[in-house]
Each structure stands twice: as structure tokens, then as C-alpha cells.
């Protein structure tokens, strides 16, 4: 038997005081509605249908092909909203899951439990409830003396005795599709002028049908976003859930309260994440890494045993055994191969640093290909932009740049070539040659690396900066 899922997302979200439709507000970097879609999709095993109204066009664009859509032109209540799905889903006689688009922490397993309970009991409705002394705005669940659920009463209509009841309606339901669609036509108009989905409970009981309640013990699941304060509360709850799962999977979080891991991120075991670290988007981190503190890593892949200190990484790729920072900035297309060392105040964009490249201090490498074991000395800059277009810099293997070398692209330096400190390289340097000056001219063959104090004028100093004497 199949399941269909309907997500209500037509409301305005007035209390957010926002131009943005409620369900498009971001939670951990992703629009709220995507969380509801994930859960519904996983529980039903099929694409959910969204009821849209306020900001419908924007919601459609943000959701794309992840859901089907029906429109509720006028927001006449949650019961009326579900009825709008009748044409799309009305032929469906098995299980109809209904959730609200503003409840991002509701789990797929919980929705499955609703389906299973309804099937096992042949109830008209299985609804999710929680016992809570808080959650004042939530509908109250009324039970008969035999404990069977008889009604859900909204706060505005509840008597003082009903308000004092501990069981709340969370806002997730599984309906018997054979009963639901016709029953919705019979919902009464509430004193507020809306058709409440929750009135379907009393209707089912009047029809002689059972209504079952599944209780959750997890208050996070009940968080509905009506205000910015609740949005912040959901951030904390989601963070706790995600962080707890990563710790259980073998990742050390030194301070989970200041570790921000998006649900889309993956991390290998024995990696240690230091405080104030933000891992966002499609980021993947390998095993045995040390990440942070104070780092922001977005859409980046990091191999095993890497170290990232106090740095910003965006759309970058790091192989194994790479260390970066402090104060490094990797931008789109930065590719650091195995064993690269990138120290402080470096920026790499759309460039590959080959295996074992060292780039210790104050450098910008953009639109470049750097061969293995090359040494990028302090203050190296690829002058990649000529005012019209970006030009490429290519360095061969084991190239040794003097401090403050400017590489005016397009330019190519052959394997084992070298520049003197302060060189402005405007023309290619052949393999094995040393170039010096402004503009740099080739002067002679590079001294063998094993004889730094040889005959030549340019000498590699211990800090790696060859100096002309
Ligand atoms: C609802 C429940 C209440 C429950 C609470 C939990 C009803 C009548 N009440 O109240 O029992 O305790 O959730 O959070 O269902 N929506 C539409 N079209 C409409 C009206 C609402 O699509 O005409 C959507 C909203 O966008 C929202 C969801 O339905 O995503 C819930 O509506 P909301 O007004 O927030 O209901 P609550 O008052 O919170
Ligand atoms: Ca709500």
C-alpha cells in the first residue's frame, strides 16, 4: 500500500515580519521547506505535494522538482489547505501523511511510526502528540475515560480545564485516504472563520472511527517556526542533533555549542573540530583531520590527515596531509595536492598546487598550475588580471621563487627554474635557469640545490629566499 504526503506551506508567516515567505527562511543555510520535504519524501518513499499560497512563485522556484504543487488561493485554515490536495491526491485511498512546512525538525521515522500505527489500528487518523507543560499555543488533545482520543481543541476555543491538559497536538498526521477527502467537506467553520484540520478528529469519532495518538518524547520535533526567536531555537536544536550524531560517529567536537555543522556535511572518524568552526554546504572532511578554531569551510572537500587553522575555504579541494593557515583563504577552484603546506596570509583561487608545494607567507596564487615540490616564497603574487581578462601562470616542478616575485601572466617557468628576490617576471623562464631583476632576465643556470653556497650570485637562504649579493 502506498503513502502520499502533503505539506502545508501556504501561510504568510506574519510574525516573522519578513518579505521572504516563511518556509524560505534559512535554517543551517537551507530553506525550511527542504527539511519538511526530506522527512516527507523519506517517510512516504515518494515526492510530496506542497500546498502553496503566500509567495507561491518563490516557493515553487526554491523547491523545483522536489515536490508537486497545489495552490490555496485564500488561506482559510489548515483543513481547507488539505482539501486543496483533493484533486491531486483524492483518488488515493491508502495513507495520507500531512505535515506543516514550518516544522523542520520532524523526523521521517516519526512519520513512519504514524503510518504504522494507523495501519495496525485501522484508525481514521493517527496524530503526533507530546506531553508538555509549555507549548501553550498548541492544540489540546482530549481523551475519553477509556483513553481514546476524542478531539483536538485549539487554544482560542479551549475551556480552562482543557487548557490545563498536558497533551499537545504537534501537527503531523496520517489519515485513512478512503475516509479523509469526503470528511474534509464536512469540517465545521470555526469561530475564527477557518476550517481547522484538527476538527477532523472529532468528526472521525462521530463517524464511529478510531483516532490514535503517537507520542514523541523529543521536544525538538515540535518546534514550529512562527517567529525569529523560534527560528533561532530551531538552529540550536538542529545543531545539537547534528553534533550529537557526529560525536557518536567518532568525531571530536571540542565545544559543540560553537561548532556549526550543516546537515549536508560529512566528516571522517578521529577528526577533531575546534571551537567556532562553521562547516557548510557540500563539505566533506576526511579522517584524522584537525579543523579550526575559527574556520569557515564551504562546499569544500578535505582529505585525510589535513590541518586547517583559522581559515576561510570556499569551493576548494584538498588531498591528504595538507596543512593550511592560519589566515588562509582558499577560493573557488583551489586544488591543493598531497602534502601541500600553505602558511599564513595566503590566497589561492582557480589554481592547483602540486604535491609537496610550500607556500609559507603572504602570497596570492590565482589562475595557476604549480608543479610538485615548488617553493612559493614570501610575497609571491600572480598578476593574473590584465584589466580585460584572466591569464594563466604555469610553474614546473621544483621551481624556486625568490621573495616578492611578481609573475606577470601569461607566463611559464620551466622545471627547476629559479627567480631572485624582487623579480618581476614578464617572460617565460626556461628549465633550470635563474632569472633576476625588473623585468627579470635569465642570467645563468640555477645553482644545484645541494650547493646553496656555491659560486653563483643568487643564494638560497635558510628561509628559502634567494638573495642577490
Ligand atoms: C496548528 C494546529 C495546532 C497545533 C499547531 C502546532 C490547526 C488548526 N492547528 O496551529 O493544533 O498545535 O499547529 O504547531 O491546524 N497553512 C496553510 N493554509 C492555511 C493555514 C495554514 O497552508 O490556510 C499552513 C501554514 O503555512 C503552516 C501550517 O499550515 O505551515 C500550520 O498553520 P499555523 O497557522 O501555523 O497553525 P497553528 O496556529 O500553529
Ligand atoms: Ca504553526
Amino acid at each position: 500500500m502506498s503513502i502520499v504526503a502533503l505539506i502545508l506551506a501556504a501561510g504568510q508567516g506574519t510574525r516573522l515580519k519578513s518579505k521572504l515567505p516563511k518556509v524560505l527562511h534559512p535554517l543551517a543555510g537551507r530553506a525550511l521547506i527542504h527539511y519538511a520535504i526530506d522527512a516527507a519524501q523519506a517517510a512516504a518513499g515518494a515526492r510530496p505535494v506542497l500546498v502553496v499560497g503566500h509567495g507561491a512563485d518563490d516557493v515553487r522556484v526554491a523547491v523545483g522538482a522536489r515536490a508537486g504543487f497545489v495552490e490555496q488561493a485564500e488561506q482559510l485554515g489548515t483543513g481547507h489547505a488539505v482539501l486543496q490536495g483533493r484533486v491531486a491526491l483524492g483518488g488515493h485511498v491508502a495513507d495520507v501523511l500531512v505535515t506543516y512546512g514550518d516544522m523542520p525538525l520532524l523526523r521521517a521515522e516519526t512519520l513512519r511510526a504514524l503510518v504504522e500505527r494507523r495501519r495496525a489500528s485501522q484508525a481514521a487518523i493517527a496524530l503526533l502528540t507530546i506531553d508538555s507543560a509549555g507549548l501553550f499555543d498548541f492544540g489540546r488533545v482530549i481523551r475519553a475515560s477509556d483513553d481514546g482520543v476524542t478531539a483536538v481543541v485549539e487554544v482560542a476555543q479551549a475551556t480552562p480545564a482543557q487548557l490545563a491538559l498536558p497533551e499537545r497536538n504537534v501537527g503531523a498526521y496520517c489519515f485513512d485516504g478512503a475516509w479523509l477527502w469526503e470528511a474534509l467537506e464536512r469540517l465545521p467553520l470555526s469561530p475564527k472563520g477557518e476550517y481547522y484540520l484538527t476538527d477532523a478528529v472529532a468528526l472521525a469519532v462521530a463517524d464511529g472511527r478510531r483516532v490514535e495518538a503517537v507520542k514523541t518524547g523529543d521536544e525538538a520535533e515540535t518546534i514550529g517556526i512562527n517567529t525569529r526567536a523560534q527560528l533561532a531555537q530551531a538552529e540550536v536544536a538542529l545543531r545539537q542533533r547534528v553534533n550529537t550524531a557526529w560525536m557518536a560517529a567518532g568525531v571530536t567536537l571540542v565545544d559543540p555549542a560553537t561548532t556549526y555543522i550543516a546537515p549536508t556535511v560529512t566528516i571522517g572518524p578521529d577528526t577533531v573540530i575546534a571551537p567556532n568552526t562553521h562547516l557548510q554546504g557540500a563539505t566533506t572532511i576526511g579522517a584524522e583531520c584537525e579543523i579550526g578554531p575559527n574556520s569557515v569551510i564551504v562546499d569544500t572537500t578535505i582529505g585525510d590527515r589535513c590541518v586547517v587553522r583559522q581559515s576561510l575555504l570556499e569551493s576548494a579541494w584538498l588531498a591528504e596531509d595538507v596543512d593550511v593557515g592560519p589566515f588562509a583563504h582558499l577560493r573557488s577552484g583551489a586544488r591543493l595536492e598531497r602534502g601541500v603546506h600553505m602558511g599564513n596570509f595566503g590566497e589561492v583561487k582557480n589554481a592547483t598546487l602540486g604535491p609537496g608545494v610550500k607556500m609559507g607567507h603572504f602570497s596570492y596564487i590565482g589562475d595557476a598550475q604549480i608543479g610538485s615540490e615548488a617553493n612559493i616564497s614570501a610575497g609571491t603574487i600572480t598578476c593574473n588580471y590584465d584589466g580585460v581578462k584572466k591569464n594563466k601562470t604555469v610553474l614546473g616542478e621544483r621551481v624556486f621563487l625568490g621573495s616578492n616575485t611578481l609573475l606577470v601572466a601569461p607566463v611559464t617557468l620551466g622545471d627547476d627554474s629559479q627567480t631572485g628576490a624582487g623579480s618581476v617576471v614578464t617572460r617565460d623562464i626556461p628549465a633550470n635557469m635563474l632569472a633576476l631583476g625588473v623585468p627579470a632576465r635569465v642570467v645563468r643556470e640555477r645553482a644545484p640545490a645541494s650547493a646553496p653556497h656555491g659560486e653563483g650570485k643568487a643564494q638560497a637562504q635558510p628561509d628559502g629566499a634567494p638573495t642577490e649579493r
Side-chain angles (χ1 to χ4, degrees):
M1 275 209 295
S2 67
I3 309 169
V4 293
L6 196 64
I7 302 173
L8 309 191
Q12 186 171 16
T14 322
R15 283 178 285 166
L16 286 170
K17 299 185 176 142
S18 176
K19 278 201 272 186
L20 200 62
K22 184 206 272 202
V23 295
L24 296 188
H25 276 259
L27 178 70
R30 221 166 148 233
L32 284 176
I33 192 64
H34 287 299
Y35 296 89
I37 293 173
D38 285 349
Q41 166 81 45
R47 215 169 63 131
V49 171
L50 246 61
V51 180
V52 292
H54 271 281
D57 293 344
D58 293 339
V59 175
R60 279 174 203 265
V61 168
V63 168
R66 300 200 67 213
F69 299 93
V70 295
E71 194 121 2
Q72 185 191 25
E74 228 185 325
Q75 278 72 59
L76 297 177
T78 48
H80 179 261
V82 174
L83 193 53
Q84 308 313 300
R86 182 175 192 163
V87 173
L89 305 173
H92 196 89
V93 295
D95 298 275
V96 181
L97 274 173
V98 176
T99 60
Y100 300 155
D102 62 354
M103 295 177 57
L105 280 103
L106 202 56
R107 295 174 202 260
E109 303 84 80
T110 303
L111 297 179
R112 283 303 304 200
L114 289 174
V115 173
E116 256 118 59
R117 176 70 72 84
R118 198 205 69 72
R119 286 178 178 176
S121 61
Q122 283 302 301
I125 309 172
L127 62 118
L128 189 64
T129 69
I130 189 166
D131 286 332
S132 169
L135 306 174
F136 182 80
D137 294 343
F138 281 41
R140 300 302 195 266
V141 178
I142 315 297
R143 290 180 183 257
S145 47
D146 70 350
D147 221 32
V149 175
T150 55
V152 171
V153 180
E154 296 303 309
V155 169
Q157 278 81 55
T159 65
Q162 289 171 331
L163 284 178
L165 293 171
E167 194 173 9
R168 310 283 195 259
N169 174 40
V170 172
Y173 317 82
C174 180
F175 292 96
D176 174 2
W179 172 83
L180 174 69
W181 305 108
E182 174 275 328
L184 288 174
E185 305 272 15
R186 294 186 279 126
L187 282 177
L189 193 61
S190 80
K192 260 187 83 184
E194 290 189 7
Y195 296 94
Y196 290 155
L197 183 58
T198 42
D199 282 339
V201 172
L203 213 54
V205 173
D207 285 353
R209 298 290 306 263
R210 276 197 74 76
V211 176
E212 290 281 317
V214 173
K215 274 190 193 172
T216 174
D218 179 6
E219 276 228 17
E221 287 203 287
T222 69
I223 298 175
I225 312 296
N226 302 314
T227 65
R228 307 250 181 184
Q230 285 164 336
L231 192 56
Q233 189 193 352
E235 285 278 357
V236 173
L238 179 60
R239 183 153 75 241
Q240 266 166 8
R241 186 184 280 182
V242 169
N243 289 357
T244 301
W246 284 119
M247 289 188 280
V251 176
T252 293
L253 306 184
V254 176
D255 181 14
T258 63
T259 304
Y260 306 81
I261 305 171
T264 41
V265 170
T266 65
I267 310 170
D270 282 322
T271 283
V272 177
I273 316 266
N276 193 27
T277 294
H278 305 248
L279 307 178
Q280 302 171 353
T283 290
T284 300
I285 294 176
E288 297 170 53
C289 294
E290 294 173 43
I291 309 291
N294 308 326
S295 295
V296 178
I297 302 178
V298 188
D299 296 332
T300 289
T301 299
I302 296 178
D304 296 340
R305 298 176 304 279
C306 289
V307 178
V308 176
R309 300 268 185 242
Q310 319 238 40
S311 292
L312 171 60
L313 279 55
E314 305 168 285
S315 303
W317 183 92
L318 278 59
E320 301 81 36
D321 303 297
V322 172
D323 83 281
V324 165
F327 314 114
H329 187 187
L330 298 186
R331 294 169 52 206
S332 169
R335 234 184 121 79
L336 276 52
E337 302 280 359
R338 177 187 288 269
V340 165
H341 161 70
M342 181 176 165
N344 50 194
F345 305 107
E347 174 179 341
V348 176
K349 182 220 74 175
N350 188 32
T352 298
L353 307 190
V357 166
K358 292 185 174 45
M359 173 177 165
H361 340 262
F362 318 107
S363 293
Y364 168 56
I365 302 295
D367 302 299
Q369 177 80 38
I370 310 295
S372 62
E373 306 295 333
N375 188 72
I376 313 287
S377 292
T380 296
I381 288 172
T382 51
C383 310
N384 59 325
Y385 186 52
D386 58 17
V388 179
K389 61 182 193 304
K390 302 286 170 61
N391 298 297
K392 189 155 188 192
T393 299
V394 179
L395 265 63
E397 298 179 2
R398 298 171 301 279
V399 170
F400 194 104
L401 298 178
S403 294
N404 230 33
T405 293
L406 305 186
L407 300 162
V408 183
V411 70
T412 297
L413 279 65
D415 290 348
D416 298 291
S417 62
Q418 181 175 9
T419 65
S423 298
V424 178
V425 183
T426 57
R427 277 181 293 177
D428 294 354
I429 304 177
N432 300 308
M433 300 307 286
L434 167 69
L436 299 169
V438 181
R441 279 167 305 130
V442 173
V443 292
R444 56 166 176 73
E445 270 199 38
R446 173 181 173 182
S450 56
H453 300 290
E455 310 278 281
K457 274 184 169 178
Q459 298 187 345
Q461 292 185 334
D463 74 351
T467 306
E468 196 186 353
R469 297 201 173 171

